[in-house]
Amino acid sequence: MHYLPLLFCLLLCTCVRAQTGTPAMPRPEHPKPQFERAKWLNLNGAWDFRIDYSNTGEERNFVGDAAAYDRRITVPFPPESRLSGVEHLDFMDAVWYRRQFSVPAGWRQDRVILHFGAVDYLAKVWVNGQHIGNHYGGSASFELDVTDQLRDGVNDLVVKAEDDVRSRVQPAGKQSLNFGNTGCCKYTRTTGIWQTVWLEARPASYLESARVVPDLDNERFTVRPVFRQLPAGFRFQTTVFDAAGREVLRQTDQANSHLVQQLPLVQPRTWSPADPYLYDLRFALLDPSGRVVDEVKSYAGMRKIHQVGNRIFLNNEPIFLRFVLDQGYYPDGVWTAPSDAALKKDIELALSVGFNGARLHEKVFEERFHYWADKLGYLTWAEFPDWGIDRSYNAPEALLNVQREWRETIQRDWNHPSIIAWTPLNEVHSPKQGLENYDRAVREIYDLTRALDPTRPINTTSGFLHIKTDIWTVHDYSQNAKTFRENYAQLPDSAYYVNWDWYNQGDTLAGYQTKYDGTLPYVMDEYGGTFWLPEYASSAIRGGGRAKWGYGKTASAVEDKIAELTKVLTDHPLIAGFTYTQLTDVHQEVNGIFTFDRKPKFNPQRLRAIFGAPAAYEGPR
């Protein structure tokens, strides 16, 4: 019976090599379109699987015992999802995966790199029974060099994922700490592998990464490459192509560890929501004879994002942010989109009702989402799923886990032009104890973000207490437009700065900037949240651990309320943007513009007029 997995693997590998995508190969597209080599092998599909309830699989030798795996799972979907074929909704402290693969004959002389888009939370990896490495972090991508562990023919790959979401030291985002969906906004968990697993072939000397920085004011890109095993005499070459495939520029420099390559462009075409123009890039590592040793395809957008006083500027023109909250959940895939088309569709849905971008809420979105945002001209604030940790930061491990994975996230995604701000924390307020630790932690996270990427503003804490930030963000779910308007009528002199202070510390907040002073862009980072479903017209419904309720008996009545609230923001001369809650319903939280399965709840034309209405200050000054 042990021949069956081998036969399945060989058939699957044949399908993968064709790279055409078949029903046996979910999510067949290249998972890293900004850094793509020709030689790669998708490992998605059917794997052997085992839930390790007691977390004793290492002791019981699950690494070497193929018979220990009692079911199959479809990777890259998490075991909680329907698409995985498992749909186990209880807590899983540890899960095991196993599959076999063969390395293509053309890779014999290459380094073979094993990639994981994301594994929640602690991933341990073995190849042919040899432990090759661990990775901590449920959202950041990672890679391992498996070359020295490979053998001719069939290889065994085993992955263990440990996920103690209730430990309060690992970031969890909106994952529920209870058995089921609970409260206003805690949902089905994601355990183990939830993004594409793939192999890549690289030469002995290769380009490890390339940071591409657009410099609009000086009409150039700068490229900061990082190399591995770089001999003397090698050169680094970047070729820039326009959208029609014509070569615009070719720059070749001596390759070294401190190279900063300059790519001057004549009258560069900018990237913006109105014109999401992208330049294609080709990076090449050349040996002393000029032979191409390594080659990587990429792309970049020429855009500038900055702030002056209380205004945000895109390409040196003021811009009003018309954002929607997107939590990135799917009914059948949980955190994993069922297809690449589904990622694109969510952006198209948002654009269709007047939004020009999204706050990507409490989740690190996969690289393919950012790719589509780049292609479609969709602005985003990239956020970290920091919920679930001890917010007092009295547990040093919690802070270290956030800092490390946040760094990995920024470094993975910093080349995407669609990302215009970083949001490491969400709704952090004054803790009941440990305010000094909290203060130090927030400042450290801000400084880390600024050191990694000085080109984007930082929304350090979306909503509530602000300690060190570039953008002042507020959350206000008032449903009365008159009250909503009065709250912000006197900005910046108004004392109204936050909707809730759940842990009011009184005098302990002395010395902290708890009142907006007018020097930063002021963004209503969450508002609306207007609950409604067609069922409300006939009766109240309950479910999912909380009452579902709505403000209106008809869709048009809710549209009226959305229009009133939004007009308060677009009419205000000191408000720089908004984030409407939210794009889709998510389980028990039914305040979406669209249902959980992406069906419209309101009149799209009217919503487009509401969210796309001109703001008070818009236009060049």
Side-chain angles (χ1 to χ4, degrees):
M1 74 184 285
H2 295 302
Y3 292 102
L4 292 178
L6 174 58
L7 177 60
F8 177 86
C9 173
L10 293 175
L11 291 173
L12 180 58
C13 288
T14 301
C15 294
V16 176
R17 291 189 192 106
Q19 298 296 332
T20 57
T22 70
M25 176 57 65
R27 301 301 308 270
E29 63 281 346
H30 195 287
K32 200 173 183 68
Q34 260 196 334
F35 204 79
E36 183 176 346
R37 287 183 173 89
K39 293 181 179 180
W40 73 284
L41 190 70
N42 195 319
L43 297 183
N44 290 345
W47 291 47
D48 296 328
F49 183 71
R50 172 73 179 264
I51 301 173
D52 184 3
Y53 297 101
S54 57
N55 196 6
T56 57
E58 290 185 63
E59 178 185 344
R60 292 187 284 164
N61 192 32
F62 285 4
V63 173
D65 184 6
Y69 299 81
D70 56 2
R71 66 183 79 186
R72 302 283 271 173
I73 188 171
T74 301
V75 170
F77 304 110
E80 291 89 349
S81 69
R82 291 198 301 270
L83 290 173
S84 73
V86 177
E87 201 173 3
H88 183 87
L89 298 179
D90 207 347
F91 290 89
M92 293 172 277
D93 288 346
V95 293
W96 290 79
Y97 299 80
R98 179 182 180 272
R99 68 154 293 161
Q100 296 178 314
F101 66 90
S102 296
V103 176
W107 295 14
R108 299 287 186 188
Q109 305 304 315
D110 295 316
R111 305 300 299 178
V112 178
I113 310 299
L114 175 62
H115 291 263
F116 293 88
V119 181
D120 197 356
Y121 177 73
L122 165 58
K124 299 182 177 181
V125 184
W126 293 263
V127 172
N128 295 325
Q130 299 181 59
H131 179 244
I132 59 170
N134 298 341
H135 179 264
Y136 291 83
S139 298
S141 302
F142 65 99
E143 62 184 51
L144 298 165
D145 189 326
V146 300
T147 311
D148 296 337
Q149 288 75 32
L150 296 176
R151 60 193 179 201
D152 293 337
V154 177
N155 294 270
D156 291 306
L157 170 61
V158 172
V159 179
K160 178 190 179 186
E162 298 179 14
D163 189 17
D164 185 6
V165 75
R166 292 172 289 189
S167 66
R168 304 309 303 273
V169 298
Q170 68 179 57
K174 291 295 192 77
Q175 298 183 66
S176 177
L177 304 187
N178 300 96
F179 170 74
N181 300 327
T182 186
C184 71
C185 45
K186 294 295 184 72
Y187 317 124
T188 304
R189 290 170 294 282
T190 291
T191 300
I193 297 172
W194 66 276
Q195 287 186 35
T196 292
V197 183
W198 51 292
L199 292 170
E200 180 188 48
R202 299 176 183 172
S205 299
Y206 61 84
L207 176 67
E208 184 176 86
S209 65
R211 171 72 164 111
V212 181
V213 180
D215 183 355
L216 176 62
D217 294 331
N218 292 298
E219 298 189 329
R220 65 186 179 188
F221 289 113
T222 63
V223 180
R224 295 180 173 89
V226 176
F227 306 102
R228 273 295 177 94
Q229 300 296 326
L230 184 65
F234 275 51
R235 291 175 295 162
F236 177 66
Q237 183 181 88
T238 300
T239 308
V240 182
F241 302 90
D242 64 17
R246 296 183 293 259
E247 184 174 316
V248 174
L249 173 71
R250 181 175 297 189
Q251 178 69 32
T252 306
D253 296 281
Q254 288 298 124
N256 55 54
S257 61
H258 54 274
L259 174 62
V260 179
Q261 191 176 65
Q262 308 290 335
L263 305 176
L265 300 176
V266 178
Q267 296 182 332
R269 186 168 167 180
T270 57
W271 181 98
S272 71
D275 181 22
Y277 188 84
L278 296 171
Y279 290 92
D280 287 325
L281 305 178
R282 185 179 66 208
F283 304 126
L285 186 61
L286 312 177
D287 68 12
S289 70
R291 181 178 64 91
V292 175
V293 173
D294 188 24
E295 186 173 81
V296 176
K297 292 195 306 181
S298 187
Y299 66 85
M302 178 61 71
R303 72 102 183 87
K304 176 185 177 183
I305 186 75
H306 77 290
Q307 62 191 82
V308 177
N310 61 6
R311 288 291 173 236
I312 297 173
F313 290 79
L314 177 65
N315 300 333
N316 295 322
E317 298 289 348
I319 185 171
F320 188 86
L321 305 181
R322 308 169 187 280
F323 277 14
V324 66
L325 194 77
D326 186 352
Q327 302 196 62
Y329 273 80
Y330 298 88
D332 50 1
V334 193
W335 263 4
T336 310
S339 66
D340 191 49
L343 294 171
K344 181 182 180 184
K345 180 180 179 181
D346 281 356
I347 297 173
E348 291 173 332
L349 288 176
L351 293 171
S352 73
V353 293
F355 298 113
N356 62 9
R359 178 179 158 218
L360 307 179
H361 183 47
E362 280 295 317
K363 177 187 173 184
V364 175
F365 282 53
E366 61 181 280
E367 291 182 77
R368 294 291 306 190
F369 181 93
H370 295 301
Y371 164 76
W372 285 116
D374 295 340
K375 295 279 286 185
L376 297 173
Y378 192 62
L379 305 172
T380 65
W381 286 8
E383 187 168 320
F384 187 71
D386 70 304
W387 278 18
I389 62 169
D390 176 2
R391 285 294 189 90
S392 69
Y393 295 105
N394 288 321
E397 185 180 353
L399 176 59
L400 290 173
N401 286 340
V402 170
Q403 289 179 324
R404 183 195 61 254
E405 194 172 3
W406 179 235
R407 171 181 54 80
E408 293 174 346
T409 298
I410 292 173
Q411 291 174 320
R412 189 197 76 175
D413 293 338
W414 55 15
N415 285 348
H416 290 285
S418 55
I419 298 175
I420 61 169
W422 301 112
T423 305
L425 306 171
N426 172 55
E427 289 185 348
V428 178
H429 32 256
S430 48
K432 291 181 179 179
Q433 58 184 352
L435 185 59
E436 181 180 357
N437 286 345
Y438 163 80
D439 175 85
R440 292 174 60 192
V442 172
R443 294 179 188 276
E444 284 294 325
I445 291 169
Y446 175 93
D447 292 343
L448 170 66
T449 307
R450 171 61 61 233
L452 288 168
D453 183 12
T455 72
R456 292 175 174 90
I458 305 167
N459 176 27
T460 313
T461 299
S462 180
F464 303 167
L465 180 65
H466 293 292
I467 287 180
K468 190 173 186 179
T469 188
D470 297 329
I471 304 172
W472 192 277
T473 51
V474 172
H475 297 178
D476 190 338
Y477 285 109
S478 301
Q479 296 297 310
N480 184 296
K482 181 175 181 295
T483 303
F484 197 54
R485 182 176 291 104
E486 290 172 351
N487 286 342
Y488 309 99
Q490 302 303 316
L491 284 178
D493 298 324
S494 170
Y496 194 92
Y497 63 93
V498 68
N499 190 29
W500 303 302
D501 188 4
W502 295 341
Y503 297 94
N504 183 13
Q505 294 294 291
D507 292 341
T508 64
L509 290 180
Y512 291 89
Q513 188 179 11
T514 58
K515 182 176 181 296
Y516 177 65
D517 63 6
T519 62
L520 299 174
Y522 192 101
V523 176
M524 182 60 61
D525 213 17
E526 288 185 29
Y527 82 105
T530 308
F531 287 63
W532 190 82
L533 279 177
E535 293 92 322
Y536 299 157
S538 57
S539 63
I541 60 174
R542 300 181 67 86
R546 67 165 292 174
K548 297 180 180 179
W549 50 280
Y551 288 102
K553 287 293 183 181
T554 65
S556 61
V558 177
E559 290 166 8
D560 291 341
K561 185 172 294 295
I562 294 172
E564 293 170 357
L565 295 171
T566 304
K567 186 171 172 51
V568 171
L569 303 175
T570 54
D571 282 356
H572 201 299
L574 295 181
I575 290 180
F578 62 70
T579 300
Y580 182 83
T581 303
Q582 62 182 327
L583 181 62
T584 73
D585 297 342
V586 182
H587 294 295
Q588 74 273 19
E589 192 174 1
V590 290
N591 52 14
I593 294 295
F594 298 89
T595 64
F596 200 10
D597 58 356
R598 277 56 176 175
K599 293 183 174 59
K601 294 162 63 173
F602 306 105
N603 183 323
Q605 289 76 24
R606 188 172 187 206
L607 291 180
R608 189 159 54 247
I610 293 169
F611 295 123
Y617 77 88
E618 278 189 302
R621 296 208 167 185

